[in-house]
Amino acid sequence: MKNLILYFSLLLPICLFGQNDQLAHNYYEKGEFEKALISYQELHKSQPGNNLYFQRIVESHQQLEQLDIAENLIRERLDKFRQASLIVELGYNYHLQKQESQAKIQYDQALDRIRMNPSEVYAVAATFERRSLIDYALKAYTIARELEPRFSFNQQMAHLYGQIGNTDMMVSMYLDEAVQNPTAAVMIQNQLSRFMSDEADTGFHESLRKALLLRAQKDQDIFWNQFLSWYYVQQREYGKAFVQEKAIYKRNPETFYNIVNLGQLAIEEDEDETAVEILTFVLQNTQDIEVLVQSNFYLMEMQIDKATEKDYVQIQNRLESLLSEFGISPYTLPLQMLKAQFVTFNLAQPELGTAVLRKAMELPLNKHQMARVKLKLADILLFEKKFNQALIYYSQIEEDLKNDALGHEASLKAAKTSYFKADFTYAHSQFKVLKSASSQLIANDALEYFLLINDNTVADSTQTALKKFAHADYLLYQNRNVDALAQFRSVLQEFKDNEIEAVTLLRIGNILKKQHDYQQALLQFDQIIQNHSDGIYVDEALYFSAEIYNDHLNDPEKAKELYERILFGHEDSIYFIDSRKKFRQLRGDANL
């Protein structure tokens, strides 16, 4: 008991001190400077060496326009500790008294202290920056660098140049640091990417591009080709990035993985011609089986995605030829799974797809490879309406890879399976959990289905419309687009003006767009825009309409108008970023 009392007697002052510190901070942040002053004075008595407490006491006096008191406090502390940063504080106090000549004398004295001892720069420059004296902070770093070349302040100076809007110098400093300290290159690229996404800084892109091109021309270091490739990827200019990657390859032909990944990015952005050019280059220049398989996989996947029925025989023969050439092994697993997908969803031969995957499961696969095969097998079982068997496999993957992206994907597919079989209560609970998933794609997908079930259950407790809609969605899943279109039209006819109308119009529009019936697709989207403008699907209708005008009907003005409506009316849309980029392209902006 005595020990316990002693423990609490020691702990209590610490707790009270922490509370007083927070109280003083709160007063200061709320602008209650008289109360903050009293609180910080009490704290300073117990910790007289604490610079923060002293600084807040001085600043409180300054806020209360008690500048003489602040000056005396600074001078007393300067006499005692001789800190160069206090000379800056004294100068700033003169500035507040509008004694600019006296302020300059103090600032220059602080710089002289750096000339005598370059290590003083850290405190002096930080104080200049805190007091928004950016030019003096830059002078401080420049003096220290000249006197002590081993000092590097590139990042600090880049940040300061950014604050005063000197984009060229900011970029130059960041690039100097990147080449001098390659381990920091990724961190610097992250910093630069933040500025690249800032709409207000229209000159930044051009400054960065010019600086990189100049350095690449003057210095033949492969580093600058890599940096330029990164820059063009950020701009989604994959063709230009490919030029840099080819230059890198010619001087360092060791790996193709960056180029293959670039091809994948081009595919994801629907830049098919660029993707084909990139992947064809890979196939022509490597003998690495894994790279060859991966590149062929991407090319075949693109071909299947754009194929019509007349192309199916050629695709099937090509898949067989590739598997014959590279063999059945863990290396060719992507091609085996693609074949299973194709024969099931395009040729409607699920038994053949199942056989391919069963054979693949006999290979020496790692945990993730086996999970991917099971996931594809469950997809095929779902195609065959074997809902419970599909759920068993999805559940196995969820259990084996609980905190993995693949496990989350299996969870989403399990929820969709329940949705397809009209078990809306269970599906709704699963989607509710998944809408908070770490993967944005999974979260967005789950949120869409969660709202679909929720809204149409509230509007119709019997869920009659939702059941018919879910069946149409299942036909879409089976790639039976014609049957799905007929079912969605039946839903639209039977439940017109109901809650489910808007999403049904969206589904019909997307099917018609896929069938290249662009005018009819636009009619569906326009009904959403006109009649459901306050609903959750209007941003999608606007975006898909803009895409049709932009990509297929050669009407950039109409596309620009629709993209602009997303920018000014739907800032939270998942299509906002793409709409902004495409709007700028159509407007003819030099800096994207």
Side-chain angles (χ1 to χ4, degrees):
M1 181 62 72
K2 288 181 180 179
N3 289 338
L4 193 61
I5 292 171
L6 178 61
Y7 172 78
F8 280 112
S9 67
L10 292 172
L11 183 63
L12 185 60
I14 296 172
C15 294
L16 291 173
F17 186 85
Q19 290 176 353
N20 291 338
D21 183 280
Q22 186 61 48
L23 185 64
H25 175 76
N26 291 340
Y27 284 141
Y28 186 87
E29 289 297 310
K30 289 191 291 186
E32 298 180 21
F33 296 111
E34 290 181 352
K35 294 179 181 178
L37 178 59
I38 294 169
S39 297
Y40 278 119
Q41 284 172 335
E42 288 298 318
L43 290 166
H44 191 248
K45 286 178 184 176
S46 60
Q47 289 191 21
N50 189 308
N51 282 326
L52 175 62
Y53 295 155
F54 174 78
Q55 175 187 317
R56 288 294 170 84
I57 290 169
V58 168
E59 289 173 356
S60 295
H61 281 300
Q62 290 171 338
Q63 291 290 342
L64 295 168
E65 298 185 358
Q66 299 168 353
L67 301 178
D68 289 341
I69 297 174
E71 179 180 341
N72 290 334
L73 288 172
I74 295 168
R75 287 189 179 280
E76 287 175 10
R77 195 169 181 86
L78 180 59
D79 289 341
K80 183 175 182 180
F81 293 106
R82 312 304 301 168
Q83 293 170 323
S85 59
L86 291 169
I87 302 175
V88 178
E89 292 287 7
L90 185 59
Y92 185 75
N93 202 69
Y94 279 126
H95 163 72
L96 294 176
Q97 297 175 72
K98 303 192 183 323
Q99 298 181 36
E100 300 301 340
S101 59
Q102 285 296 320
K104 184 178 183 305
I105 290 171
Q106 302 303 318
Y107 297 154
D108 288 340
Q109 285 183 11
L111 294 177
D112 286 339
R113 287 282 292 270
I114 296 173
R115 292 185 179 95
M116 291 186 287
N117 179 11
S119 295
E120 297 264 27
V121 67
Y122 297 101
V124 170
T127 308
F128 276 133
E129 183 177 358
R130 183 167 53 78
R131 291 304 194 176
S132 299
L133 299 164
I134 306 303
D135 287 337
Y136 276 103
L138 286 166
K139 283 181 184 178
Y141 285 128
T142 302
I143 291 168
R145 272 202 325 181
E146 290 172 352
L147 292 171
E148 186 52 77
R150 66 186 176 87
F151 283 174
S152 175
F153 304 111
N154 292 321
Q155 290 190 62
Q156 294 93 323
M157 293 178 76
H159 176 71
L160 292 170
Y161 279 121
Q163 286 189 49
I164 60 176
N166 191 334
T167 304
D168 289 339
M169 284 303 298
M170 178 183 72
V171 167
S172 179
M173 287 292 175
Y174 272 131
L175 296 184
D176 283 346
E177 179 64 17
V179 73
Q180 291 169 17
N181 182 15
T183 59
V186 172
M187 184 268 291
I188 288 167
Q189 286 173 348
N190 290 337
Q191 289 273 34
L192 293 171
S193 65
R194 285 179 32 225
F195 288 99
M196 291 169 77
S197 63
D198 185 357
E199 291 185 73
D201 195 352
T202 55
F204 178 78
H205 295 273
E206 190 63 15
S207 293
L208 180 56
R209 187 183 68 84
K210 285 182 178 178
L212 287 170
L213 287 171
L214 282 171
R215 288 174 186 247
Q217 290 168 1
K218 290 181 180 179
D219 184 351
Q220 297 302 307
D221 192 331
I222 198 173
F223 177 85
W224 296 117
N225 298 108
Q226 293 168 336
F227 219 115
L228 269 167
S229 178
W230 167 84
Y231 170 78
Y232 286 127
V233 167
Q234 304 309 302
Q235 298 295 93
R236 300 183 185 180
E237 296 181 287
Y238 301 110
K240 292 179 180 179
F242 180 44
V243 171
Q244 300 303 321
E245 290 296 338
K246 281 195 292 187
I248 294 167
Y249 169 75
K250 287 176 182 177
R251 294 158 65 186
N252 184 25
E254 291 184 4
T255 178
F256 271 96
Y257 285 105
N258 283 346
I259 302 180
V260 173
N261 290 338
L262 185 62
Q264 186 182 10
L265 288 172
I267 292 170
E268 290 172 359
E269 293 294 325
D270 294 324
E271 293 192 14
D272 292 349
E273 289 185 13
T274 301
V276 169
E277 181 186 1
I278 292 170
L279 296 170
T280 301
F281 174 83
V282 173
L283 295 178
Q284 291 171 347
N285 289 277
T286 186
Q287 298 299 316
D288 186 309
I289 291 178
E290 195 170 351
V291 175
L292 287 170
V293 168
Q294 193 176 12
S295 300
N296 275 297
F297 167 80
Y298 289 138
L299 287 168
M300 291 305 302
E301 194 175 43
M302 266 196 299
Q303 191 175 347
I304 291 169
D305 188 52
K306 305 292 182 185
T308 58
E309 285 191 33
K310 64 182 178 62
D311 303 314
Y312 287 173
V313 173
Q314 179 189 353
I315 290 171
Q316 188 174 19
N317 290 337
R318 179 59 179 159
L319 284 169
E320 294 290 352
S321 174
L322 288 169
L323 287 169
S324 176
E325 179 183 353
F326 297 115
I328 304 299
S329 73
Y331 286 114
T332 61
L333 187 61
L335 286 173
Q336 296 170 58
M337 292 173 63
L338 186 60
K339 178 184 175 182
Q341 171 83 14
F342 175 73
V343 298
T344 298
F345 289 89
N346 294 86
L347 302 182
Q349 298 177 14
E351 67 286 345
L352 180 55
T354 300
V356 170
L357 296 177
R358 297 282 185 198
K359 187 175 180 181
M361 291 173 75
E362 297 173 3
L363 297 170
L365 305 178
N366 62 38
K367 188 176 181 179
H368 274 78
Q369 288 173 320
M370 183 61 75
R372 291 189 183 282
V373 175
K374 285 183 176 181
L375 196 67
K376 188 63 67 180
L377 181 57
D379 293 345
I380 293 175
L381 290 168
L382 178 55
F383 177 93
E384 296 180 285
K385 297 185 181 179
K386 297 176 180 177
F387 299 116
N388 292 334
Q389 292 182 51
L391 284 170
I392 289 171
Y393 278 107
Y394 289 138
S395 298
Q396 285 180 6
I397 299 164
E398 287 180 86
E399 185 64 28
D400 292 342
L401 300 169
K402 288 181 179 177
N403 297 315
D404 189 274
L406 205 56
H408 293 154
E409 185 180 350
S411 299
L412 180 66
K413 291 191 172 189
K416 285 186 179 181
T417 302
S418 297
Y419 162 75
F420 288 144
K421 61 185 285 198
D423 184 357
F424 298 127
T425 302
Y426 181 75
H428 185 262
S429 65
Q430 292 299 101
F431 288 132
K432 184 177 181 180
V433 173
L434 288 166
K435 66 188 179 74
S436 301
S438 55
S439 164
Q440 194 62 50
L441 287 174
I442 289 174
N444 289 337
D445 212 356
L447 178 60
E448 179 187 340
Y449 281 96
F450 172 80
L451 293 173
L452 173 67
I453 296 171
N454 195 67
D455 293 349
N456 288 284
T457 300
V458 171
D460 175 15
S461 60
T462 65
Q463 300 177 322
T464 306
L466 186 59
K467 288 172 184 174
K468 292 191 174 184
F469 184 90
H471 178 61
D473 259 351
Y474 178 66
L475 294 172
L476 263 187
Y477 172 80
Q478 290 182 306
N479 204 27
R480 294 165 58 185
N481 293 331
V482 174
D483 294 335
L485 182 58
Q487 178 75 3
F488 281 124
R489 280 178 167 156
S490 174
V491 172
L492 189 61
Q493 185 176 3
E494 189 175 349
F495 301 98
K496 189 166 180 62
D497 298 325
N498 285 23
E499 182 70 34
I500 209 160
E501 182 182 46
V503 67
T504 306
L505 287 166
L506 191 71
R507 291 287 202 275
I508 293 172
N510 280 327
I511 294 172
L512 291 169
K513 181 185 173 194
K514 192 173 182 180
Q515 294 175 342
H516 309 297
D517 190 349
Y518 300 121
Q519 294 298 343
Q520 283 299 314
L522 285 170
L523 286 176
Q524 314 307 311
F525 296 143
D526 191 58
Q527 287 188 60
I528 300 172
I529 296 166
Q530 298 301 327
N531 303 326
H532 301 276
S533 58
D534 58 346
I536 62 173
Y537 302 104
V538 66
D539 63 317
E540 293 180 84
L542 287 166
Y543 182 77
F544 296 148
S545 297
E547 292 287 273
I548 289 174
Y549 283 115
N550 193 29
D551 298 336
H552 305 291
L553 299 184
N554 194 29
D555 191 343
E557 287 305 312
K558 186 63 177 175
K560 187 168 69 171
E561 174 194 327
L562 292 165
Y563 286 133
E564 188 172 24
R565 287 179 67 176
I566 295 172
L567 298 185
F568 292 101
H570 303 277
E571 294 87 349
D572 58 346
S573 171
I574 60 173
Y575 301 104
F576 179 84
I577 294 174
D578 278 342
S579 296
R580 181 176 62 189
K581 179 176 176 61
K582 290 174 181 179
F583 174 76
R584 289 175 175 178
Q585 288 174 332
L586 292 173
R587 194 172 60 181
D589 291 9
N591 303 306
L592 301 176

